[in-house]
Amino acid sequence: MFASWLTSALLLGTLCAGWSGAERDTRECLYYNHNYQVERTNLSGVESCEGDQDKRSHCYASWRNSSGTIELVKKGCWLDDFNCYDRQECVATEENPQVFFCCCEGNLCNKHFTHLPDMNGPSKVIKAPAPSAHLYSVLGYSLLPITLLSLALLLALWMYRHRKPPYGHVDVNEDNGLPPPSPLVGLKPLQLLEIKARGRFGCVWKAQMMNEYVAVKVFPIQDKQSWSNERDVFSTPGMKHDNLLRYIGAEKRGTNLEMELWLITEFHERGSLTDYLKGNVLSWPELCHIAETMACGLAYLHEDVPHCKGEGPKPAIAHRDFKSKNVMLRTDLTAIIGDFGLAVRFEPGKPPGDTHGQVGTRRYMAPEVLEGAINFQRDAFLRIDMYALGLVLWELVSRCKAADGPVDEYMLPFEEDIGQHPSLEELQEIVVHKKMRPFFKDCWLKHPGLEQMCETIEECWDHDAEARLSAGCVEERICQIRRLAGPPTSDCLVSMLTSVTNVDLPPKESSI
């Protein structure tokens, strides 16, 4: 029994290799979940695997064999795994694991599954001589101490697990001594209520924790790297800011193949900027408020802050997946930046970590990212974020009713030219080779504020990365534009300073 448990642990270590990146190719697999957690019902049917054209997707099945009785555990989509390449049938090859696993390529190829431990030739049946009664006695006396020791270990493990709190935390010793999540999370009952969004790394739930609504981002075990990276970024000193998503804690739920990784943050009922723009048009003051607070949050994210009281210095952080879907809105339309699964920290004297070139969402990739010509330095990554900021500002302007003329239905950047699901080649053609950008309507250029906003946007998405504005400059530009084109408001040039009470910042010089 103890040996089977150890074999299962080794198998789990093989299966739980993390993965990240952009979307995968489209494939359909049979889906089944024997023990869906958190009081959700069992699910079965067909699952569509949508993903990156540069990556492969597979189908998989896992099951148990209890004395000849097959018990199905899970079926569904699997990641780009070279062990699954060119397999037309789902065949498990391990000798005697506790949980069998197989993967294959082809639509619904996981409908049937089998176990053939010897894939190189026909299996051979070897008849062993019948053991004598004396041999049985020797084996019995030999195995008795081992059996008793195994039972004692299992009993000790059972007692240890039942002493743990009902909501287990991340074991910080697994992750090289990283800061633990909030110690209060495991002591509070947490109930998932409804799914609010689905993304590349899983789904986001609206949940209730005591008397507070929170957001729970649920990652499958395959996305452990993204979960770990986002948790680490949230744990960076100085990450408390009015325009950055507030982090509450991180947890692991379940075991083995059913394990899920949870990231718990504050919840915003309005949802993402994308969702809001689909159903609402903006007045000129609303556009300025969203744009300014969004630029303020990105400017703080990009900034090196030498003195954060009680926390140490905050390094510059590049988001690397900035888009309207990753900007949340408070009730008063204040912008909140979230989703740091691909973010990179630039700490003095330390390597920035994983900085693969083409990451993020294709539609928002800068020209240098699309053509694979990235300078892997801090400023280069910050300028990539600024290109994406220009596209998001265009989305805001396109839904503003300040100019004379009708407001069009919401469209993503480049959607009118290449549709909702552009390929990498299509984006390279129009963004890199033709140097196209989303168009400005004539009526926008006749409004004094929108005209200056369009000029700022052009300087954000400039083809020459070094010519792009900084986020702090964009924040100050929008503040001046609002003062010149509308009624006076509060002094926004110090908004980033006053929004963070625990940070000592030097005075900023205007970079307009």
Side-chain angles (χ1 to χ4, degrees):
M1 183 180 299
F2 181 75
S4 299
W5 174 82
L6 180 60
T7 305
S8 175
L10 293 174
L11 174 63
L12 177 62
T14 305
L15 298 179
C16 293
W19 66 280
S20 61
E23 298 96 345
R24 270 66 180 171
D25 57 328
T26 301
R27 184 179 306 283
E28 289 189 342
C29 304
L30 288 180
Y31 179 82
Y32 177 82
N33 192 334
H34 172 69
N35 187 23
Y36 207 61
Q37 294 191 17
V38 197
E39 299 181 0
R40 288 171 276 179
T41 57
N42 292 351
L43 297 178
S44 61
V46 176
E47 181 181 20
S48 178
C49 315
E50 296 182 2
D52 198 314
Q53 292 184 351
D54 301 327
K55 303 292 184 180
R56 295 195 188 188
S57 61
H58 321 287
C59 301
Y60 82 97
S62 60
W63 68 93
R64 295 186 179 93
N65 188 341
S66 301
S67 302
T69 301
I70 302 300
E71 179 187 3
L72 183 59
V73 177
K74 269 192 175 184
K75 283 185 176 183
C77 297
W78 194 245
L79 306 176
D80 189 351
D81 188 341
F82 71 92
N83 293 310
C84 311
Y85 286 4
D86 302 321
R87 289 180 176 266
Q88 304 302 315
E89 297 179 348
C90 205
V91 180
T93 59
E94 293 81 8
E95 284 294 331
N96 288 297
Q98 183 178 358
V99 178
F100 294 85
F101 174 87
C102 67
C103 57
C104 55
E105 289 190 330
N107 287 332
L108 307 179
C109 65
N110 62 341
K111 180 178 181 182
H112 302 291
F113 50 90
T114 186
H115 175 227
L116 295 175
D118 184 8
M119 298 295 293
N120 298 320
S123 58
K124 298 180 180 180
V125 179
I126 302 176
K127 294 184 178 180
S132 63
H134 175 70
L135 180 58
Y136 280 125
S137 300
V138 173
L139 287 175
Y141 285 114
S142 301
L143 294 177
L144 183 59
I146 298 176
T147 303
L148 293 175
L149 179 61
S150 300
L151 290 174
L153 289 174
L154 289 174
L155 180 61
L157 179 63
W158 181 88
M159 294 177 64
Y160 169 74
R161 293 188 63 178
H162 280 70
R163 289 181 59 194
K164 295 176 68 177
Y167 293 94
H169 290 302
V170 178
D171 182 2
V172 296
N173 294 322
E174 288 183 3
D175 298 293
N176 302 318
L178 294 171
S182 168
L184 298 178
V185 177
L187 304 178
K188 295 182 179 181
L190 185 62
Q191 180 183 6
L192 301 188
L193 301 177
E194 60 175 320
I195 293 179
K196 303 298 289 188
R198 295 182 184 273
R200 172 177 56 243
F201 295 126
C203 58
V204 179
W205 285 76
K206 177 182 179 181
Q208 187 166 0
M209 187 170 67
M210 302 294 285
N211 296 323
E212 176 187 11
Y213 288 121
V214 296
V216 178
K217 191 173 181 181
V218 179
F219 298 75
I221 187 61
Q222 300 94 324
D223 287 328
K224 181 180 180 181
Q225 183 60 44
S226 178
W227 171 81
S228 178
N229 188 70
E230 188 163 2
R231 182 200 61 181
D232 295 347
V233 171
F234 273 125
S235 302
T236 303
M239 278 296 287
K240 296 181 179 65
H241 188 273
D242 281 352
N243 303 116
L244 299 181
L245 192 63
R246 180 171 63 89
Y247 170 70
I248 298 175
E251 297 186 0
K252 292 180 181 179
R253 297 296 184 96
T255 57
N256 298 339
L257 293 176
E258 288 82 22
M259 179 179 288
E260 292 177 341
L261 307 170
W262 289 14
L263 198 71
I264 307 165
T265 64
E266 64 180 336
F267 175 75
H268 297 289
E269 190 65 52
R270 286 194 184 274
S272 71
L273 178 59
T274 302
D275 298 330
Y276 186 78
L277 292 178
K278 287 179 180 178
N280 301 273
V281 294
L282 304 175
S283 65
W284 171 248
E286 289 173 339
L287 183 151
C288 291
H289 180 66
I290 296 174
E292 183 186 336
T293 53
M294 180 173 63
C296 179
L298 190 61
Y300 181 75
L301 192 70
H302 284 181
E303 189 169 5
D304 286 298
V305 182
H307 303 292
C308 294
K309 291 182 179 178
E311 295 190 64
K314 173 202 164 292
I317 300 174
H319 191 284
R320 296 211 301 168
D321 194 19
F322 191 82
K323 57 183 178 180
S324 56
K325 195 72 176 176
N326 290 337
V327 177
M328 304 295 112
L329 293 179
R330 288 202 180 105
T331 304
D332 63 354
L333 297 186
T334 297
I336 309 294
I337 300 174
D339 196 340
F340 301 106
L342 294 174
V344 173
R345 295 175 293 182
F346 297 93
E347 302 180 70
K350 295 183 181 180
D354 184 9
T355 54
H356 291 304
Q358 290 182 355
V359 300
T361 304
R362 287 198 194 112
R363 187 183 301 275
Y364 293 86
M365 285 182 179
E368 62 270 25
V369 181
L370 290 169
E371 62 181 341
I374 301 177
N375 173 15
F376 290 95
Q377 301 298 319
R378 187 195 78 161
D379 290 347
F381 283 100
L382 303 187
R383 290 166 185 149
I384 291 170
D385 283 350
M386 295 311 301
Y387 172 88
L389 176 63
L391 294 179
V392 177
L393 290 173
W394 176 88
E395 292 177 63
L396 289 172
V397 172
S398 71
R399 294 291 285 162
C400 182
K401 60 184 178 182
D404 295 331
V407 179
D408 295 333
E409 292 294 321
Y410 172 75
M411 296 186 73
L412 292 165
F414 305 111
E415 183 176 344
E416 187 171 358
D417 300 304
I418 51 179
Q420 293 187 349
H421 304 287
S423 66
L424 182 64
E425 292 75 18
E426 289 174 326
L427 282 164
Q428 288 173 334
E429 177 64 22
I430 69 168
V431 175
V432 179
H433 303 306
K434 296 182 178 180
K435 299 183 179 180
M436 292 174 56
R437 300 292 185 269
F439 72 95
F440 298 138
K441 296 174 71 172
D442 292 337
C443 62
W444 301 350
L445 304 179
K446 296 178 182 178
H447 182 279
L450 290 177
E451 179 187 16
Q452 295 180 64
M453 189 73 75
C454 290
E455 292 177 0
T456 301
I457 292 172
E458 285 185 316
E459 293 185 66
C460 286
W461 66 31
D462 196 294
H463 201 81
D464 181 4
E466 295 185 359
R468 294 173 195 155
L469 298 176
S470 68
C473 177
V474 172
E475 182 193 1
E476 295 178 7
R477 283 272 189 97
I478 296 171
C479 179
Q480 289 193 358
I481 292 171
R482 174 157 62 174
R483 287 207 307 264
L484 295 174
T489 59
S490 60
D491 186 7
C492 59
L493 288 178
V494 295
S495 61
M496 188 170 71
L497 300 179
T498 58
S499 62
V500 187
T501 58
N502 66 332
V503 177
D504 294 331
L505 295 177
K508 291 174 61 177
E509 296 181 358
S510 173
S511 54
I512 299 177

